[in-house]
Amino acid sequence: AIMRLQTLDPLTARHRRFLEMLQKTTFVPKLFGSQMFPLETFLLTEPLGERSLAAMIREQRASQKSDGQPAVPLEIALPLMIDLLRGVEALGSAGVLHGDLSEDNIYLVDGDSRALLA
């Protein structure tokens, strides 16, 4: 996948920490390479997963009756939430604020058992 980051300044220590963090954590996509330009950086990452959390929620809701149950059962949602929080923690430790945290930016991998924050 290709991700585009807008930057207001050239490569800084914060950007270097972010790129280093991408190499170390398992909760965001692995970084294969990057290209930096004056006001933006493009990242080439591993594929983002089979589907997004948003797609899983839509599928679960479509297959459920309207009985007040959560769209994603707790035994599935809890491990995904832990992965998501670890991804946010890894970003924060690199001085990065995600800026668009939503179910569309959470990808499910390993048969929906793990989450990647994109």
Side-chain angles (χ1 to χ4, degrees), residues 3-116:
M3 301 168 77
R4 180 176 169 246
L5 303 174
Q6 289 185 318
T7 57
L8 300 177
D9 51 319
L11 187 63
T12 63
R14 181 174 64 92
H15 292 104
R16 282 190 212 92
R17 284 195 312 271
F18 173 65
L19 296 176
E20 289 168 5
M21 179 273 307
L22 285 177
Q23 296 290 357
K24 296 176 185 174
T25 184
T26 60
F27 305 104
V28 295
K30 289 290 179 208
L31 179 66
F32 293 146
S34 63
Q35 180 65 50
M36 289 161 235
F37 297 97
L39 296 178
E40 58 192 3
T41 300
F42 291 89
L43 306 176
L44 178 62
T45 67
E46 70 179 311
L48 293 177
E50 294 98 32
R51 64 183 176 159
S52 69
L53 180 60
M56 174 194 242
I57 291 170
R58 280 191 302 274
E59 290 169 17
Q60 292 282 343
R61 284 185 177 151
S63 68
Q64 285 180 343
K65 297 175 186 167
S66 182
D67 59 2
Q69 294 296 316
V72 180
L74 186 59
E75 62 271 9
I76 295 171
L78 190 58
L80 298 177
M81 181 60 72
I82 291 169
D83 285 352
L84 171 64
L85 292 174
R86 288 181 175 153
V88 169
E89 178 182 40
L91 290 173
S93 71
V96 174
L97 176 64
H98 188 281
D100 188 20
L101 194 56
S102 72
E103 64 273 9
D104 291 313
N105 290 326
I106 300 166
Y107 283 83
L108 307 174
V109 295
D110 298 338
D112 294 346
S113 65
R114 286 191 337 106
L116 287 179

